[in-house]
Every structure is written in structure tokens, then in C-alpha cells.
Amino acid sequence: MIPKISIYPDYEAMSLAAADRVIALLNHKPDAVICLPSGSTPVGMFRELVSASQKGNADFSRCIFVGLDEWVGLGGDDEGSGRYMINRDFLKSVGLKDNQVIFFDGKARDPYLECERINKIVSELGGLDLIVLGVGLNGHLALNEPGTAWNTYAHVVELDEVTKVTGQKYFSKTAVLEKGITMGIRHILEAKTAILLANGNQKAKVIQRALSFPVTPAFPATVLQNHLNAEFLLDREAGSLIDWTSENI
């Protein structure tokens, strides 16, 4: 099953479309459970969501936010952590209360128990209404690295070398990145809607592979072909190698 593909002229238009998807969900279900990523790709989406909130066009007062992933060993006050970035780029500007935010504690004494905690909370909430994802150069979704089994919920991962290297861009000095803690592939597949965001030429081959066969744990992004309601939101550069007619986009 090929996910829906929407290609936009530039990053700004892609980001606005992503924000519109989130706002549409909130208008339909104000208490939606939404899992959003940190990092550089969603910054434009966050900017649009913050603007909509400040203008009174988006109401986050009843929704629940679930963090996508975190570096093991880092907490919300550590520069470059997932919590640090998403607090900076989004959460602090839309006035979410503490009880609306569920996030991995990368400094938890036992990260495996932390996974159980998150799994239990998400299950009790009835699962995710929406999960928004970026995609790594190695095809990872969240921190589900190549080789991750499809049946995983939240789990601890040994980081792929590609992730260790690319992850350095979030830090002002070299960081020791060895493990991550992440929402699992089953969380992605069971979310009512999954949206993947990608922009730039460096993601073109990644997107091409994500939409190709075989669907395999060796390239986790291909699993979105198995999702019942997935959409790829791309800028023109990221979508430049997709071989579809206009009727498919």
C-alpha cells in the first residue's frame, strides 16, 4: 500500500501543511493524543503551530502531547536533548500544562522501566491519534534503527553509526551518543494517522527507498507502506526522485 504523497514547492509550504494537519485534528478531537518529533525538520511546523495558537486559531488546552524519542543519558535541561529542543521550539510557547506532556526521561535510572512507563500511559490513553515523524538518512523512524523488529513498542536502542554522526548537529560540542529510547514501530503502525516530513535534496534517495519494495526492517521507513493511514509531506527537493504521475500526488 503506497502512502498518500503530498509535495510542496518549498519547506515553508510543507511546514504549513503539516501544521494544518495538526490543527484539523484538534478541531475534530480537542483531546487528541499527539506524538511529535524534535529536531530540525519540524521547526517550521512548530513555528506555524505557535503562530496559530497566538492568533487563537489552534487550541492546545485539552490535547495530550507524547514525545517521540530521546538520547539516553540526557534530560530536558541538556542542550541537544529531544526534550530541550521541543520545549524551545514549541511547548513553552503554547502553554501546555505539565499533565498534558508525556516525555521519555533520558536520565531515568532504568531506561527499560521508563519504556514500560510510557507504554502503559499510551495504552491507557487509547493509543495515538497522530504521530508525526522525520526520517533518518539510514531510514530510521524516531530512533528505530535499521534491523528494528516490527513488533516493538517503546524500547532502548543501540544507535546506528549514521545516527551518532548526524546527531552531533544538535550539540555545540561533541556529544557521546550511544543509546536512545524511542516509541516503537508498533506505536507507529497503531497510530490512527502517521505523517512523515522530509525536506531537502539529501532526503530524496531516502524517500525514494521508503516508497520502494521490499518493505523491510533493514530500512524502517518502508514500514509506512503497511500503515492504513499514512501520508508523506515533502518539499519538491525531497520528492524529486519519486516516480509517480500527478494523479498519485
Side-chain angles (χ1 to χ4, degrees):
M1 177 187 311
I2 298 298
K4 180 180 178 182
I5 302 164
S6 299
I7 299 179
Y8 298 89
D10 52 35
Y11 174 76
E12 288 73 23
M14 180 201 78
S15 299
L16 178 59
D20 285 345
R21 301 296 194 279
V22 175
I23 293 169
L25 172 61
L26 290 172
N27 289 339
H28 173 71
K29 187 177 182 182
D31 60 348
V33 181
I34 303 173
C35 185
L36 299 176
S38 56
S40 55
T41 301
V43 168
M45 176 186 69
F46 291 145
R47 186 165 53 241
E48 296 292 345
L49 289 173
V50 169
S51 176
S53 176
Q54 293 172 343
K55 294 174 181 176
N57 296 328
D59 182 4
F60 295 96
S61 64
R62 293 173 56 193
C63 70
I64 300 294
F65 165 77
V66 182
L68 185 63
D69 53 29
E70 186 58 279
W71 310 112
V72 168
L74 297 184
D77 295 328
D78 295 312
E79 177 195 26
S81 72
R83 183 64 183 267
Y84 177 91
M85 288 186 285
I86 208 162
N87 280 342
R88 177 195 65 198
D89 297 332
F90 178 58
L91 295 179
K92 71 176 184 180
S93 299
V94 295
L96 291 184
K97 303 178 183 68
D98 288 345
N99 64 358
Q100 290 180 266
V101 179
I102 299 156
F103 215 98
F104 289 108
D105 179 4
K107 289 186 172 179
R109 180 172 298 180
D110 187 335
Y112 297 93
L113 288 179
E114 181 68 359
C115 291
E116 292 180 14
R117 181 181 75 89
I118 295 295
N119 286 335
K120 183 174 185 290
I121 292 173
V122 172
S123 177
E124 290 174 347
L125 289 170
L128 304 174
D129 292 295
L130 171 66
I131 188 167
V132 180
L133 304 155
V135 60
L137 295 176
N138 61 1
H140 76 205
L141 296 176
L143 287 175
N144 292 286
E145 301 284 28
T148 300
W150 286 165
N151 64 348
T152 53
Y153 284 113
H155 60 115
V156 179
V157 298
E158 296 287 340
L159 297 176
D160 186 82
E161 288 302 317
V162 172
T163 304
K164 292 179 184 179
V165 172
T166 57
Q168 296 298 326
K169 66 183 178 181
Y170 302 121
F171 301 89
S172 58
K173 58 183 179 180
T174 301
V176 178
L177 304 176
E178 297 294 338
K179 293 183 178 182
I181 187 168
T182 184
M183 301 294 279
I185 296 292
R186 284 191 71 177
H187 282 130
I188 295 170
L189 289 173
E190 292 176 6
K192 294 180 180 66
T193 300
I195 292 174
L196 183 143
L197 305 179
N199 65 287
N201 286 319
Q202 76 278 12
K203 294 295 177 68
K205 288 185 177 180
V206 175
I207 295 301
Q208 182 185 48
R209 175 68 186 89
L211 293 167
S212 301
F213 296 103
V215 175
T216 170
F219 204 83
T222 59
V223 78
L224 290 173
Q225 296 184 52
N226 291 342
H227 199 286
L228 296 178
N229 187 28
E231 182 177 13
F232 283 45
L233 300 185
L234 314 170
D235 74 354
R236 185 173 288 128
E237 292 179 344
S240 61
L241 298 180
I242 299 175
D243 185 22
W244 308 119
T245 64
S246 58
E247 286 79 9
N248 298 114
I249 297 175

